[in-house]
Amino acid sequence: MVTKFELNDDSVVVIIGTGAGGGVLANELAQKGVKVVALEAGGRYLPEDFVNDEWESFGQLAWTDARTTSGSWRVAKDFAGLPAWIVKAVGGTTTHWAGASIRFQEHEWKALSTYGNVDGANLLDWPIDATEMAPWYEKAETKLGVTRTGDRAGLPGNNNFKVFERGAKALGYNEVHTGRMAINSREYDDRMACQQTGFCFQGCKWGAKWSAAYTDIPRGEATGNLEVRERSHVARILHNEAGKVKGVEYFDKDGNLHLQKARIVCVAGNSFESPRLLLNSASSMFPNGLANSSGMVGKNYMRHTTGSVYAIFDKPVRMWRGTTMAGIVQDEARHDPSRGFVGGFELETLSLGLPFMAAFLNPGGWGRGFTTALDHYENMAGMWIVGEDMPQLNNGVTLSDVKDQYGLPVANVNFDDHPNDVAMRNYAYKRGIEMYEAVGATRAFPTPPYPSTHNLGTNRMSEKPEDGVVNKWGQSHDISNLFVSDGSQFTTGAAENPTLTIVALAIRQADFIAREMSANNI
Amino acid sequence: MTKIDRKGLTRRALLGRAIAAGALTVSGAGFIAAPDAAWALEVSVITPEQMATLLQMARDIYPHDQVGDRFYAVAVKGYDAEGAKEMVAAGISELNAAAQAIGHPDYLSIGWEEDRVKVLEAVEATAFFQTVRAGLVTGLYNQKNIWPIFGYQGESYSQGGYIDRGFDDIDWL
Ligand SMILES: Cc1cc2nc3c(=O)[nH]c(=O)nc-3n(C[C@H](O)[C@H](O)[C@H](O)COP(=O)(O)OP(=O)(O)OC[C@H]3O[C@@H](n4cnc5c(N)ncnc54)[C@H](O)[C@@H]3O)c2cc1C
Ligand code: SF4
């Protein structure tokens, strides 16, 4: 029997969203005996439900509720209604994700001190650092079973990796390997080893890749302390006269509105929905939205400086076979302004199937320039750039005039590249192309960024209340029983894929919340 | 041919079209067919000429010489519908007007792809062109039957992934 909590039970912690942040937090709290109601807008899909088919899987898992876009980024033109490629499902985007799990570098916790003031950027140091985070990273790596950490072996390299590695070595790169991946190279934690199926982005049918959907969430439920209510879309967070949050209003699958009372509310809807929810919860006491005395809710949106390089060879590569992203070059991740930009970037292998390649290789492109590239799909190799982008005040989420199916204003996502982002991307394109040319590529394609998969910073963490939305525990500066538990708390983005850090922060936050609850501080 | 003649087309113009359209036959009976009768596409709402034009447009937007017409036909057959009829009629007149502006009788009668591409470039910004192009991205490339032509193997779970089927079999590095 799955535990059920009463709507008017005001002793529960309500978590909104069950992805990397919310799903992990829910389990960690449940393991500590804290009662949790997790509300998830999406449905529940498990490995047996996942499909090895890009568009069908997209239809099954992706968040396709309305969003709008503005700004000069190309996504606003090519994918006006789809600023992000993220998931609406139990487990959130950890169903889709590729599993690359790397720690921030030490200096990246202190971006402002390290890089200095960058014109037009709103840089800030995190209120935490590498030493503080080290034990939490270790717990996160153990939870996710990250390869090349602990005593876990690396994954074997697939064809796409072999081409990538050869090119990297030819350019003199040293830190080249099959990545630190939340994908089992051997059986681990009751999940089997990777079968090199090649559909990591579509949900791993073997469960070899970690996802909250089939690890943390069922384990939390098994404690009897966690109730996950799927297809439950939170519309508003409510507060009392003392300015503390007291519950949330949500729509169930039939569109009926309910009020769930709460002792604590944790927002983990990813970086568009979390600020949207805080803004949509404005009241006479908080006319600019909850937790927004700084005006920073929805601001400083980061999406990583990305882009891809695909290249064609005179012989087959068959990059789609095997893990989607198990391959990395880390030499460029350092901070070295002599390259013409601050911060660094990672290069990671990437492959798309033919249907997605047609959609993303050059969105809007047509004619023989485009089709002759696809003609050689079998001979293609691919990589992805993930670099630190600059937080900017005007990049972010505001409420749009467009309303969703519940009549709630949707998120408008505005984004302009910072000159530092452009310089980094162009440099990375060049290096990526050189790598492939060193292996004999006959043609290379610097492919523009896809709809965002890494969404960060819109409720950022800060030492001082006037600089950001939450403190070093993810607790809002303004309202002590309101937390942010997802990637939106990132102060800066670093060069690394964000999920390991989101998970480490969630484990740490669970520890804090449980402690503060038993001390009766919240 | 009589039906087409009634619409004011000369037999010669029609033949010209059929040739330009990658040797498609616009038959009078409401369908277009491959000359070798390998496939045929029936139309009930839009005209066979309009369907032949859409098909040629599809080929010119995403030309893959190794991909047969029947795949392009599948990708555009959805425009043979009441809801699309007006858009198709208006869009094709625009397209033909653009062809006439550079001295051709209409789009389909242009012999060389590069000349047809000039016409497409002239209408590239129109909603009609963008709708047809965007529709093809999934309508064409998401047909499972064309994947093998590109070497893409699709679903792999049911075959146990590639762990024993060549995930690392590259032999030319
Ligand atoms: C294709 C792809 C590949 C990726 N690969 C990697 C990788 O290799 N490494 C890496 O580190 N990261 C990767 N990522 C990014 C990673 O998935 C995200 O960073 C991470 O999942 C974000 O966690 P989150 O908790 O912020 O949000 P999510 O995991 O997106 O979870 C948010 C959840 O909240 C729910 N929600 C939102 N609003 C509401 C509401 N109002 N009411 C109820 N529920 C709501 C959503 O439905 C969703 O389930 C990838 C992402 C994609 C799309
Ligand atoms: S390649 Fe490995 S991790 Fe990716 S989906 Fe297949 S089995 Fe899962």
Side-chain angles (χ1 to χ4, degrees):
Chain A
M1 232 344 248
V2 195
T3 318
K4 299 247 179 249
F5 295 105
E6 297 292 321
L7 286 172
N8 59 13
D9 184 343
D10 60 6
S11 72
V12 300
V13 174
V14 164
I15 300 176
I16 303 161
T18 59
V24 168
L25 179 67
N27 179 32
E28 292 288 321
L29 286 174
Q31 300 293 340
K32 294 177 197 298
V34 176
K35 306 213 172 321
V36 178
V37 172
L39 299 169
E40 169 54 57
R44 198 183 284 245
Y45 307 92
L46 292 171
E48 59 268 30
D49 306 313
F50 297 147
V51 278
N52 274 192
D53 180 301
E54 291 178 311
W55 283 116
E56 199 184 330
S57 172
F58 183 86
Q60 180 184 56
L61 298 172
W63 180 287
T64 51
D65 289 11
R67 282 174 178 144
T68 60
T69 45
S70 57
S72 59
W73 57 330
R74 190 169 154 181
V75 168
K77 173 175 158 278
D78 296 326
F79 302 97
L82 192 77
W85 170 14
I86 46 181
V87 172
K88 179 180 179 177
V90 173
T93 314
T94 66
T95 52
H96 256 0
W97 81 314
S101 302
I102 39 183
R103 298 185 183 197
F104 278 25
Q105 304 164 78
E106 195 164 341
H107 69 267
E108 289 171 327
W109 296 102
K110 303 291 162 203
L112 179 58
S113 314
T114 312
Y115 308 155
N117 266 313
V118 174
D119 257 1
N122 193 20
L123 282 170
L124 194 67
D125 288 348
W126 286 68
I128 47 182
D129 60 18
T131 315
E132 161 80 28
M133 287 306 291
W136 305 105
Y137 267 140
E138 200 180 317
K139 284 185 206 293
E141 285 163 348
T142 307
K143 178 190 282 289
L144 272 52
V146 178
T147 58
R148 284 198 174 78
T149 71
D151 56 2
R152 289 167 291 267
L155 287 160
N158 66 353
N159 290 334
N160 200 27
F161 173 73
K162 288 183 169 180
V163 175
F164 176 88
E165 179 187 38
R166 179 60 65 92
K169 297 254 161 89
L171 261 57
Y173 288 140
N174 295 311
E175 290 173 71
V176 191
H177 55 76
T178 57
R180 284 186 257 285
M181 305 296 294
I183 295 180
N184 288 348
S185 53
R186 311 230 165 84
E187 214 178 284
Y188 177 78
D189 198 27
D190 292 334
R191 291 181 292 109
M192 60 186 286
C194 172
Q195 302 300 300
Q196 303 288 343
T197 316
F199 284 88
C200 306
F201 282 174
Q202 283 66 41
C204 179
K205 287 194 71 68
W206 307 95
K209 179 187 81 178
W210 178 85
S211 166
Y214 42 79
T215 57
D216 280 74
I217 286 163
R219 287 174 191 177
E221 288 172 325
T223 64
N225 295 323
L226 169 62
E227 178 188 352
V228 175
R229 274 179 223 155
E230 58 206 58
R231 298 188 196 278
S232 298
H233 184 106
V234 178
R236 219 152 65 95
I237 302 167
L238 307 174
H239 63 80
N240 60 22
E241 279 138 38
K244 299 277 185 253
V245 296
K246 62 171 191 188
V248 304
E249 279 182 342
Y250 69 94
F251 290 97
D252 69 15
K253 65 179 192 326
D254 303 314
N256 299 315
L257 194 65
H258 302 279
L259 196 170
Q260 172 66 54
K261 290 192 177 164
R263 175 168 168 188
I264 293 171
V265 173
C266 302
V267 187
N270 206 322
S271 290
F272 297 162
E273 295 309 311
S274 290
R276 174 192 176 209
L277 192 54
L278 295 176
L279 295 172
N280 269 336
S281 301
S283 65
S284 52
M285 188 185 277
F286 300 113
N288 300 321
L290 295 188
N292 199 17
S293 65
S294 63
M296 290 296 145
V297 170
K299 301 281 182 10
N300 307 307
Y301 168 55
M302 295 166 289
R303 58 185 306 261
H304 274 141
T305 294
T306 70
S308 313
V309 177
Y310 293 96
I312 290 172
F313 298 84
D314 58 356
K315 295 196 189 68
V317 177
R318 303 192 180 100
M319 65 174 170
W320 65 88
R321 294 184 182 174
T323 43
T324 305
M325 203 176 261
I328 193 166
V329 167
Q330 299 205 272
D331 298 68
E332 300 280 8
R334 69 192 191 281
H335 169 58
D336 170 9
S338 74
R339 292 173 298 181
F341 49 86
V342 301
F345 61 91
E346 314 274 353
L347 297 173
E348 297 171 355
T349 55
L350 175 67
S351 121
L352 298 178
L354 184 78
F356 272 15
M357 191 57 78
F360 295 125
L361 180 67
N362 181 17
W366 59 279
R368 285 203 183 253
F370 178 84
T371 54
T372 52
L374 286 184
D375 283 340
H376 303 290
Y377 175 75
E378 205 172 358
N379 294 9
M380 230 182 235
M383 72 170 85
W384 196 52
I385 300 157
V386 198
E388 176 159 14
D389 61 341
M390 292 294 108
Q392 299 178 74
L393 263 187
N394 286 331
N395 284 350
V397 170
T398 50
L399 296 178
S400 167
D401 299 333
V402 173
K403 305 259 167 73
D404 70 4
Q405 63 269 40
Y406 307 109
L408 303 165
V410 306
N412 180 70
V413 184
N414 186 71
F415 192 87
D416 298 313
D417 278 322
H418 185 278
N420 196 74
D421 307 344
V422 177
M424 180 188 288
R425 181 178 299 120
N426 288 337
Y427 181 89
Y429 276 150
K430 205 167 142 273
R431 296 302 277 166
I433 291 169
E434 282 166 5
M435 265 172 67
Y436 285 138
E437 283 175 344
V439 200
T442 54
R443 196 173 161 197
F445 311 87
T447 291
Y450 313 129
S452 316
T453 55
H454 299 174
N455 298 282
L456 308 167
T458 49
N459 294 306
R460 77 177 181 184
M461 196 183 268
S462 64
E463 185 72 55
K464 296 189 203 137
E466 60 267 31
D467 291 333
V469 180
V470 298
N471 68 14
K472 65 183 206 170
W473 305 106
Q475 180 180 35
S476 75
H477 287 300
D478 300 349
I479 304 174
S480 63
N481 65 341
L482 175 62
F483 287 77
V484 174
S485 316
D486 59 13
S488 68
Q489 27 170 358
F490 277 36
T491 310
T492 53
E496 290 73 27
N497 313 56
T499 306
L500 182 73
T501 304
I502 296 174
V503 169
L505 288 171
I507 301 173
R508 178 172 167 273
Q509 188 180 68
D511 203 56
F512 176 77
I513 291 176
R515 245 187 301 131
E516 290 293 285
M517 283 175 87
S518 41
N520 261 318
N521 290 337
I522 38 176
Chain B
M1 298 297 172
T2 49
K3 259 196 176 158
I4 306 266
D5 280 342
R6 268 199 285 115
K7 287 180 185 154
L9 292 166
T10 67
R11 188 184 165 76
R12 213 174 127 235
L14 178 67
L15 281 175
R17 285 174 184 208
I19 289 158
L24 269 179
T25 307
V26 177
S27 119
F31 62 90
I32 58 175
D36 62 357
W39 61 275
L41 181 61
E42 213 178 327
V43 284
S44 52
V45 178
I46 65 171
T47 68
E49 292 80 5
Q50 286 172 333
M51 186 49 86
T53 305
L54 283 170
L55 200 134
Q56 186 61 48
M57 242 185 113
R59 284 217 79 101
D60 293 338
I61 293 174
Y62 291 123
H64 292 287
D65 300 334
Q66 74 281 33
V67 174
D69 276 340
R70 66 179 189 284
F71 299 104
Y72 290 92
V74 167
V76 295
K77 75 171 193 292
Y79 294 107
D80 181 37
E82 281 300 334
K85 191 172 149 182
E86 262 172 50
M87 180 202 73
V88 168
I92 291 180
S93 333
E94 248 176 326
L95 184 72
N96 286 333
Q100 281 150 17
I102 54 170
H104 302 282
D106 58 26
Y107 180 74
L108 263 188
S109 61
I110 304 174
W112 281 90
E113 178 184 308
E114 61 196 74
D115 295 329
R116 288 193 302 275
V117 164
K118 284 184 195 126
V119 176
L120 290 177
E121 277 163 358
V123 300
E124 191 178 355
T126 63
F128 171 67
F129 177 90
Q130 285 305 331
T131 304
V132 173
R133 190 205 57 75
L136 284 168
V137 173
T138 45
L140 181 65
Y141 297 108
N142 205 32
Q143 291 179 48
K144 289 193 172 62
N145 295 341
I146 76 160
W147 296 349
I149 303 174
F150 294 87
Y152 179 53
Q153 294 171 284
E155 189 275 338
S156 86
Y157 169 72
S158 68
Q159 297 167 78
Y162 292 102
I163 189 135
D164 298 318
R165 293 192 309 131
F167 78 99
D168 61 351
D169 66 356
I170 195 161
D171 59 4
W172 53 265
L173 277 170

